[in-house]
């Protein structure tokens, strides 16, 4: 009998959770499992702000996919996904086409630029290992050039972070630790460096606990961050950014580095595929399948789950992507084994949110309790280690874990 073929797209949190659970639950004779990813490594997206600032080497944030999959059960294809032909049950890769019986779409999200002029060309995004490496190298280059040039351009040392959401704040926590090191390395007066955070909403970390937000702002201001709140970025140029000033005017902030951290949308492959979506995210059925597509599961940042209590989408997180991966795998096993039981409904189990403020400080709400300082920072590292454990077990934690916990 022909074995059903499950194709999992993406080796991020959602995709790897699905594959590692499937390889345990299904025998070699029960299904063909294929994993497709553009790199032969997985990266911890949740650590990319550290690699971007240069406070953690980029090799620390990634590991070989081979180290967590069982190659006797899972075929790995290194390729870029370009499209899905749902009618023909085929995935279009840059290397050719593959067919599937069941598809798991877990390609994550992409930066949302809201069509703002110049951002794609002149701003960096914290989106993958190479993008992180480029930000680190660029900031280093600006400092090195400043040290060398006879006519000093002070704006080289200005760093603008667009968006004071969790990504923007976590990056600011790291870069404020890195800048003093850079100043020492290149003999630059620290007072020449400007770090701006520009946020369109009237507060930092909109919607988060106000007391914790106050703590984070005080911590970052003490380290030199200048917040421009209630100020929308309207454009980016080779010289910096344009921000809204009054009704119709804009003001320029000259900056050598602009990091755009103002939101995510789903994968552009979803939009191409014709699967119904909102900003490239699929409002999935309770069992995580795409409406009208009984053989396609969508998980992680390309899925949209509504929090019924407030009637708004859950913010896309690794926490949710991993939980979805587990449920998706169990539902696939039911389908493959021909179980008569109904498929499992996915409900996020939010254990909390911790936002780092550099290596030794953080803020968070964990199991309903507020935490700050070293305690919160310790918890953040435990959350990071847990993600490694869930996918690769204790050996991966020993290899890649964060043990500088005190
Ligand atoms: P990802 O983990 O992003 O994986 C997608 C995978 O698909 C990647 O391996 C990518 O290379 C691959 N891929 C993409 N497109 C293609 C293609 N066309 N072809 C082939 N392969 C492709 N969430 C939390 O819960 N806690 C946190 O502390 C936290 N911190 C964060 C810090 C930062 C700096 C950022 C940017 C995000 C953070 N998040 C956090 C959010 C979290 O990282 C995402 O929600 C999570 O990564 C989504 O998982 P995913 O499986 O959908 O996608
Ligand atoms: P976000 O959408 O959470 O925040 C983006 C911020 O940018 C918002 O505050 C928004 O008001 C602002 N913004 C939008 N347009 C702007 C403009 N034109 N000018 C200035 N500001 C503008 O995005 P994010 O911070 O990238 O987070 C993405 C997802 O990843 C979220 O779901 C978040 O919860 C998750 N995340 C979690 C953690 C954590 O748990 N520690 C860390 C990072 C990211």
């Amino acid at each position: 009998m022909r074995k059903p073929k499950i194709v999992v797209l993406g080796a991020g949190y959602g995709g790897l959770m699905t594959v590692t659970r499937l390889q345990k639950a299904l025998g070699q004779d029960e299904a063909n499992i294929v994993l497709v990813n553009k790199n032969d490594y997985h990266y911890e997206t949740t650590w990319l702000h550290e690699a971007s600032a240069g406070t953690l080497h980029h090799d620390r944030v990634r590991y070989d996919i081979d180290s967590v999959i069982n190659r006797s059960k899972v075929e790995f294809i290194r390729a870029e996904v370009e499209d899905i032909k749902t009618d023909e049950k085929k995935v279009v890769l840059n290397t050719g086409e593959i067919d599937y019986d069941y598809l798991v779409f877990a390609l994550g999200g992409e930066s949302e630029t809201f069509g703002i002029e110049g951002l794609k060309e002149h701003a960096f995004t914290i989106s993958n290992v190479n993008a992180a490496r480029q930000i680190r190298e660029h900031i280093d280059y600006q400092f090195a050039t400043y040290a060398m040039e006879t006519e000093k351009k002070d704006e080289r040392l200005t760093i603008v972070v667009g968006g004071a959401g969790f990504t923007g704040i976590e990056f600011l926590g790291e870069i404020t630790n890195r800048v003093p090191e850079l100043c020492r390395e290149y003999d630059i007066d620290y007072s020449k460096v400007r770090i701006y955070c520009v946020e369109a909403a009237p507060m930092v970390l909109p919607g988060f606990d106000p007391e914790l937000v106050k703590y984070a702002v005080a911590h970052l201001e003490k380290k030199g961050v200048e917040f421009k709140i209630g100020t929308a970025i309207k454009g980016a140029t080779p010289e910096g950014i344009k921000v809204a000033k009054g009704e119709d005017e804009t003001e320029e902030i000259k900056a050598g580095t602009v990091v755009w951290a103002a939101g995510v949308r789903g994968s552009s492959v979803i939009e191409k595929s014709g699967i119904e979506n909102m900003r490239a995210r699929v409002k999935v059925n309770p069992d995580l399948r795409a409406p009208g597509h009984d053989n396609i599961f969508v998980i992680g940042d390309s899925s949209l789950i509504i929090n019924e209590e407030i009637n708004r989408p859950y913010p896309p997180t690794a926490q949710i992507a991993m939980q979805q991966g587990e449920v998706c795998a169990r539902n696939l096993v039911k389908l493959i084994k021909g179980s008569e039981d109904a498929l499992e409904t996915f409900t996020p189990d939010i254990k909390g949110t911790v936002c780092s403020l550099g290596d030794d400080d953080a803020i968070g709400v964990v199991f309903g309790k507020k935490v700050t300082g070293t305690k919160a920072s310790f918890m953040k590292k435990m959350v990071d280690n847990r993600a490694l454990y869930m996918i690769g077990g204790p050996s991966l934690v020993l290899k890649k874990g964060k043990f500088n916990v005190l």
Side-chain angles (χ1 to χ4, degrees), residues 45-46 49 112-114 116 119 126 161-170 198-206 228 230-235 243 260-264 279 281 301 314-319 352-356 363 380:
T45 307
T46 62
H49 55 291
E112 173 64 279
T113 53
F114 307 106
I116 297 173
L119 276 179
I126 303 175
V161 176
F166 287 102
T167 303
I169 293 300
E170 289 200 325
V198 183
E199 166 59 54
M203 72 179 283
V204 165
L205 295 174
K228 286 187 173 283
T231 307
I233 293 182
K234 293 288 184 190
V243 298
W260 177 249
V264 287
R279 287 170 63 200
R281 300 177 73 198
D301 282 6
Y314 279 98
T317 60
Q319 186 174 184
T353 302
V354 188
C355 174
S356 65
I363 51 168
K380 180 77 170 85

Side-chain angles (χ1 to χ4, degrees), residues 55-89:
T55 47
L56 189 69
H57 192 272
H58 56 267
D59 281 337
R60 282 290 313 279
V61 312
R62 61 178 168 181
Y63 57 80
D64 288 343
I65 289 169
D66 253 351
S67 67
V68 294
I69 62 171
N70 176 347
R71 288 300 284 260
S72 68
K73 286 188 179 173
V74 179
E75 180 193 350
F76 174 66
I77 300 177
R78 180 180 174 177
E80 183 132 1
V81 180
E82 292 180 346
D83 200 358
I84 302 162
K85 294 180 178 170
T86 54
D87 292 346
E88 298 172 43
K89 293 200 211 165

Side-chain angles (χ1 to χ4, degrees), residues 363-379:
I363 51 168
V365 179
V366 181
F367 295 116
K369 287 214 164 63
K370 291 183 207 179
V371 280
T372 56
T374 34
K375 193 172 168 192
S377 181
F378 173 80
M379 281 182 174

Side-chain angles (χ1 to χ4, degrees), residues 85-189:
K85 294 180 178 170
T86 54
D87 292 346
E88 298 172 43
K89 293 200 211 165
K90 280 189 167 57
V91 179
V92 183
L93 307 176
N94 60 339
T95 50
E97 293 189 349
I98 54 167
D99 53 9
Y100 62 83
D101 296 303
Y102 296 102
L103 187 69
V104 179
F105 190 98
L107 293 182
E110 293 172 14
S111 173
E112 173 64 279
T113 53
F114 307 106
I116 297 173
E117 206 183 314
L119 276 179
K120 281 199 175 126
E121 299 79 14
H122 307 298
F124 297 98
T125 57
I126 303 175
S127 46
N128 56 52
V129 168
N130 287 330
R133 195 148 59 170
Q134 197 187 18
I135 297 173
R136 189 204 67 207
E137 297 268 347
H138 175 83
I139 295 174
D140 251 67
Y141 177 79
Q142 294 292 0
F143 277 68
T145 308
Y146 184 85
M148 283 298 291
E149 64 196 3
T150 33
E151 231 173 273
K152 304 280 185 211
K153 291 198 183 93
D154 285 357
E155 58 269 24
R156 273 194 201 288
L157 306 181
T158 298
I159 299 167
V160 168
V161 176
F166 287 102
T167 303
I169 293 300
E170 289 200 325
F171 176 70
L172 286 164
E174 298 299 325
I175 199 68
T176 48
N177 282 349
R178 177 75 180 125
V179 161
E181 283 176 17
L182 285 169
C183 287
R184 270 195 303 276
E185 272 174 44
Y186 294 106
D187 287 326
I188 289 171
D189 178 358

